[in-house]
Amino acid sequence: MRMRFGSALFSRVAGPDGPVNRARIHDTPGPRWFAADSPVRRVHGDASMFIGGIAALLLQSLHPLAMAAVDAHSGYKGDPWGRLQRTSTFLAVTTFGTEEHATDAVDRVRAVHARIRGTAPDGRSYRADDPHLLTWVHTAEAYCFLGAHQRFGAYPLDEAACSRYVAESARVARSLGADDPPLDLLALRSALVAYRPELRATPAAREAARFLLLTPPLPWAARPAYGVLAANAVGLLPGWARRALHLPYVPVVEETVVRMGGHGMTRAIRWAMRPPA
């Protein structure tokens, strides 16, 4: 049963090429960007990423230009699983793969970003390779991935390791073209505050939140489990982000039943996806 559940989950997240990609990422000899005991590997390799990933998408959507680019070019509604699989593969390659494979993955993403241009509904132009927007996307990811790990990870990091995680993840952000990614925990929190004046929930952002939280492309039997993950993703967001997206806050329920469900779901995912002995 564990193997069936784990295989089905891995197939959803990694796609049909998942087993081949996993073997290439982990079995190819050569130097890596990050050591085996690095905080970035601990965070990105944990089941808490299922919650952190949803939270990151919600938080990222609050930048109108980033959301305009996603809405116009990502195909997140028409091919949500394909987008998830591409993103998860990129994270896996840059975190665990060889330096050569990580560099190739970054070069492919940069080539895609270079072609994405447009005009947001408010009349401003955007481009996906804008260093300032790339820094926002990274800041939101790092905040949510680390927050999910600290709340639901199997082995939460101490404060020094949290800062090392921020510094390590910044290496990938810089390689993608981010101009000034935060390099420690204090800088991460400060960056989130610094972007606040630019953030707001556009109609596209609220529509994306409804899609992610209320109408995910899942069989009905899987929606209750996904709902637990999504509810805990919402719980990771800063209060101002939740209010902007019109997401409710019920503190007693969230901090008891919902959070217990999040711990239960991440433990179940960790158990299901554990490699066979």
Side-chain angles (χ1 to χ4, degrees), residues 8-16 21 49-57 74-92 141 145 211-212 216-218 226 229 273:
L9 190 58
F10 180 73
S11 178
R12 279 288 191 180
V13 173
N21 287 334
M49 285 287 285
F50 282 79
I51 293 174
I54 299 171
L57 292 174
S74 76
Y76 78 89
K77 290 181 184 175
D79 184 25
W81 291 111
R83 184 168 188 255
L84 171 64
Q85 290 155 10
R86 290 188 293 274
T87 300
S88 66
T89 300
F90 177 81
L91 278 169
E141 282 185 353
F145 292 171
F211 179 79
L212 282 169
L218 288 167
Y226 176 85
L229 298 175
M273 299 192 73

Side-chain angles (χ1 to χ4, degrees), residues 93-166:
V93 171
T94 52
T95 303
F96 301 101
T98 64
E99 290 181 358
E100 180 182 359
H101 289 163
T103 300
D104 288 345
V106 165
D107 289 344
R108 286 194 295 272
V109 170
R110 292 191 71 140
V112 171
H113 284 173
R115 299 193 296 268
I116 295 176
R117 301 283 189 276
T119 303
D122 63 10
R124 290 183 293 167
S125 62
Y126 63 78
R127 54 190 182 91
D129 59 359
D130 177 354
H132 185 68
L133 281 185
L134 288 167
T135 301
W136 162 248
V137 170
H138 167 72
T139 296
E141 282 185 353
Y143 177 86
C144 293
F145 292 171
L146 183 58
H149 185 82
Q150 292 304 96
R151 184 170 294 179
F152 300 106
Y155 303 102
L157 307 174
D158 61 26
E159 188 166 347
C162 285
S163 280
R164 289 201 303 276
Y165 168 78
V166 177

Side-chain angles (χ1 to χ4, degrees), residues 6 10 14 17-28 89 92 273 275-276:
F10 180 73
D17 296 328
V20 172
N21 287 334
R22 180 168 57 186
R24 180 175 66 91
I25 290 166
H26 293 281
D27 297 342
T28 303
T89 300
M273 299 192 73

